[in-house]
Amino acid sequence: SSYTTTITTSTLPGLPTLLVLGVSSQSFTVVVGTGANHDMFPYEISYSTNSDFHNNVTTSGISAGLLLGESTTFWGLGSNTTYYVRARALWNSGGSSLLVGASGYTAVLSTVTYPVAPELFVTVSSTNSLTLILSSGNNAGGSYNVQLSTNSVFSGGASVVSATGTLSGGATTFG
């Protein structure tokens, strides 16, 4: 009797490319490009607030349904926060694990989500001074620039007072 065996060869995936397409106060969008790959391999994206990816790591895209060249948006992130992102192509070998034969990780990119407007409360302290209470809102930190003016266009002979500093919940009195 005779047996026939079909042998096929597959090329393991190479390093994909990674590009940040857009950033908002609570999200960012990345696209994982094919790089030197000729096939549309599935991919995995990891992001973290730590550049070494040892803590606070979220991994997405371990699926044959997400293919190189498609964009992915991550939502619900903290505002004014630095995130580190990396990606790798997975090998769709037909086996039980897409991680076997996966490419290495791309170079780590970093992006900062935009800050949201801080909260500002104003009270009249006296006939010639105001007290401002500025809080960071949902921001992880940052700095501020506050301007007060005697008219709405901040020009034309208006008296303008300006202050810049570290964002905190403390009160500042102008007068």
Side-chain angles (χ1 to χ4, degrees), residues 9-118:
T9 59
S10 296
T11 303
L12 294 176
L15 207 57
T17 58
L18 180 63
L19 176 68
V20 176
L21 292 179
V23 178
S24 75
S25 63
Q26 295 180 340
S27 70
F28 63 83
T29 301
V30 296
V31 65
V32 181
T34 57
N37 296 301
H38 298 289
D39 296 321
M40 297 297 287
F41 289 100
Y43 64 87
E44 169 189 87
I45 302 171
S46 300
Y47 69 89
S48 177
T49 54
N50 296 305
S51 62
D52 61 8
F53 287 84
H54 285 283
N55 295 318
N56 302 323
V57 178
T58 301
T59 300
S60 176
I62 301 177
S63 166
L66 296 172
L67 301 176
L68 292 171
E70 296 178 353
S71 65
T72 301
T73 300
F74 296 97
W75 296 96
L77 306 176
S79 58
N80 200 30
T81 303
T82 300
Y83 287 93
Y84 301 92
V85 188
R86 66 184 182 184
R88 65 181 174 172
L90 304 176
W91 189 41
N92 193 2
S93 64
S96 61
S97 175
L98 292 173
L99 299 177
V100 174
S103 73
Y105 285 105
T106 60
V108 174
L109 298 180
S110 67
T111 188
V112 178
T113 52
Y114 297 143
V116 293

